[in-house]
């Protein structure tokens, strides 16, 4: 489920186009487990501060295909850790990658 501040973004036509491109690029395959992907994940998490930055929201290098289970595991506890960190598929807290580097 999208965070409230991102709901409008996820309803845009442009997001739908980019989302489809990412799924096709990744051959509808989850980049973590290899199962069928149905969702697209932002590697750098969307925040109220970056939601209007297309270098984050629409950058193909910041997006990867995920199956529902892998995406849920990574995002379900997103509010439980500090900004710039997330839980990985093993439940470990890791720092987000900076795609600008």
């Amino acid at each position: 489920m999208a965070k409230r501040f991102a709901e409008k973004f996820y309803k845009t036509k442009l997001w739908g186009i980019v989302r489809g491109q990412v799924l096709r690029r990744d051959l509808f395959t989850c980049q973590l487990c290899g199962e069928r992907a149905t969702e697209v994940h932002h590697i750098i998490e969307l925040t109220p501060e970056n939601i209007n930055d297309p270098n984050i929201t629409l950058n193909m290098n910041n997006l990867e295909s995920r199956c529902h289970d892998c995406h849920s595991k990574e995002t379900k506890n997103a509010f439980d850790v500090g900004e710039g960190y997330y839980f990985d598929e093993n439940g470990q807290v890791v720092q987000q990658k900076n795609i600008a580097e």
Side-chain angles (χ1 to χ4, degrees):
M1 174 184 263
K3 295 174 186 170
R4 182 175 219 92
F5 69 86
E7 288 175 353
K8 185 176 178 181
F9 165 75
Y10 284 120
K11 293 178 182 176
T12 65
K13 183 176 182 177
L14 189 52
W15 168 247
I17 292 168
V18 172
R19 181 184 180 279
Q21 291 172 335
V22 172
L23 288 167
R24 284 189 296 280
R25 176 198 68 197
D26 295 340
L27 302 174
F28 289 86
T29 303
C30 177
Q31 299 302 291
L32 294 180
C33 73
E35 294 295 321
R36 180 169 173 76
T38 57
E39 301 180 23
V40 173
H41 174 70
H42 283 90
I43 297 167
I44 296 176
E45 181 181 354
L46 297 185
T47 66
E49 294 76 29
N50 68 24
I51 191 66
N52 294 312
D53 182 351
N55 291 314
I56 301 294
T57 58
L58 300 170
N59 183 338
M60 298 277 285
N61 294 321
N62 188 42
L63 299 168
E64 62 185 12
S65 299
R66 299 280 176 92
C67 69
H68 177 75
D69 288 345
C70 286
H71 195 240
S72 292
K73 286 177 190 174
E74 187 157 337
T75 60
K76 71 177 179 177
N77 295 317
F79 295 108
D80 295 342
V81 294
E83 187 173 329
Y85 295 85
Y86 65 94
F87 288 98
D88 69 10
E89 65 273 10
N90 298 315
Q92 300 297 312
V93 176
V94 294
Q95 190 170 13
Q96 292 176 335
K97 300 173 190 172
N98 184 350
I99 61 171
E101 293 178 353

